[in-house]
Amino acid sequence: MRPMGLGTVAGTGLPSCTVVIPTRGRPAMLADCLESIARSDYPLDLLEVVVVDDGVAGDPRPAAAVRAVGNRLDVSLRETNGRGPAAARNLGASEARGSMLLFTDDDCRVDPEWVRSLSLSIRNAPTTGAGGRVVNRFGDNRWSTASQRVIDMVYAYYNADPAQATFLASNNLAVHADAFRELGGFDERFRWAEDRDFCRRWLAAGCELIYVPTAIVEHAHRLTGQGFVRQQFAYGRGAFRFHRAAAWDGDSQAGRARGFYAEVPRLARRLVQQEGAGGKRFARVALEIGGWQLANAAGFVWEAIRAQRAAGPSRSNRA
């Protein structure tokens, strides 16, 4: 068995890396993701993949997709039985032998240079995390495009200075394994927004984040209008939990959030201009952005009501 977890491997200048992929009920997507990693421009003897199946009874299982690349990749399969993506990522990280952890999702395709770009950007900075650019693979899908536009606006605001990034999505993220474990990994109470919470705690611990746009991941997830609304509603639920956890830590994020939403019209106009679209396109984008904000706000309020009811008269529980 090849040595892993040895930091920068002597004679190569390259760190040993573990890619962690949570998955649930999407074996075909996972197969494409694993194929893209197998095509990485990175020494495969310094690379391992840990797939964590978070499925429950009745979900399609990923074993066949894992076996299909087993003769090309050092890949293993673990299970978390529906505990959520944060728990799945934490289990994968606990099993990792690489000195560097890279996270992506089963509905993503990584660029051949992805592992190299991220790992080399922070190999000499043990308390720095890095994340790359996420792009929409399905430009012909209106709602996948709308979802990507939200991410683009978030990155434009929170990572305006790439050397001082403040939010990196968990489908395109790299950190040193030791620093990740010292922080305690992802908070498993989160079903959504666990990456927002992780980045907040990472920065609060005195660590740094950088944005590396050359490290590209394609997000290959087709959405319907209904699926887009469900997605943004779930993100709103996660946003409530994020702000509540930050408040418990005395780390209010409300000011940053207000600043972002105040900038949304300007950010949206700039994106539409970059797309070369005219007034009619902007009107449609404005409607999509309105739908995003309404769904997000509804999820936030729904989760707030749910938390209030769960807390009961004392309101002392951190459910």
Side-chain angles (χ1 to χ4, degrees), residues 127 179 182-184 198-208 251:
T127 59
E182 183 175 350
L183 188 68
F198 176 83
C199 291
R200 179 189 67 81
R201 291 187 292 112
W202 180 268
L203 295 171
C207 300
E208 296 180 336
D251 179 19

Side-chain angles (χ1 to χ4, degrees), residues 29-188:
M29 288 184 173
L30 174 65
D32 287 346
C33 179
L34 292 172
E35 286 290 342
S36 71
I37 296 172
R39 295 191 293 270
S40 294
D41 180 22
Y42 202 81
L44 294 184
D45 61 338
L46 300 179
L47 179 64
E48 72 168 350
V49 179
V50 180
V51 175
V52 185
D53 180 11
D54 193 45
V56 296
D59 287 333
R61 294 300 185 177
V66 171
R67 286 195 301 269
V69 295
N71 62 338
R72 288 172 287 157
L73 278 176
D74 181 349
V75 56
S76 60
L77 178 62
R78 300 291 184 267
E79 295 183 358
T80 43
N81 299 312
R83 289 167 52 202
R89 293 188 183 96
N90 285 347
L91 177 61
S94 72
E95 298 278 332
R97 291 175 291 145
S99 65
M100 196 84 71
L101 299 173
L102 290 85
F103 297 95
T104 193
D105 288 344
D106 61 0
D107 61 352
C108 293
R109 316 288 179 267
V110 307
D111 184 83
E113 294 284 341
W114 179 68
V115 174
R116 185 180 296 271
S117 294
L118 283 186
S119 61
L120 295 189
S121 70
I122 59 173
R123 62 176 169 177
N124 297 320
T127 59
T128 299
R133 184 182 173 206
V134 180
V135 300
N136 173 32
R137 188 177 186 181
F138 299 126
D140 61 339
N141 182 289
R142 174 181 180 180
W143 299 107
S144 296
T145 301
S147 179
Q148 180 64 51
R149 192 176 289 114
V150 173
I151 293 295
D152 289 344
M153 287 189 289
V154 168
Y155 269 49
Y157 181 77
Y158 286 94
N159 303 330
D161 181 353
Q164 296 184 5
T166 57
F167 170 70
L168 301 170
S170 53
N171 63 358
N172 193 344
L173 175 67
V175 292
H176 289 262
D178 288 346
F180 178 87
R181 292 167 183 146
E182 183 175 350
L183 188 68
F186 292 97
D187 187 333
E188 297 182 12

Side-chain angles (χ1 to χ4, degrees), residues 150 153-154 228 232-233 260-261 264 287-297:
V150 173
M153 287 189 289
V154 168
F228 174 76
Q232 300 308 319
F233 183 87
F260 168 67
Y261 284 109
V264 163
L287 288 173
E288 294 166 356
I289 289 173
W292 153 49
Q293 295 197 343
L294 284 172
N296 196 271

Side-chain angles (χ1 to χ4, degrees), residues 189 240-241 244 248 303 306-308 310-311 316-319:
R189 295 173 297 178
F240 172 81
R241 288 177 171 257
R244 183 176 59 173
W248 287 337
E303 189 68 17
R306 181 177 176 272
Q308 185 178 42
S316 60
N317 295 328
R318 297 186 177 186

Side-chain angles (χ1 to χ4, degrees), residues 218-239:
E218 287 187 333
H219 191 207
H221 193 161
R222 291 190 182 276
L223 286 173
T224 62
Q226 186 179 44
F228 174 76
V229 170
R230 285 199 303 266
Q231 179 192 67
Q232 300 308 319
F233 183 87
Y235 290 164
R237 293 184 65 185

Side-chain angles (χ1 to χ4, degrees), residues 83-86 187-194 197 238 241-242 245:
R83 289 167 52 202
D187 187 333
E188 297 182 12
R189 295 173 297 178
F190 284 78
R191 288 277 175 164
W192 313 277
E194 74 282 354
D197 176 75
R241 288 177 171 257
F242 167 77

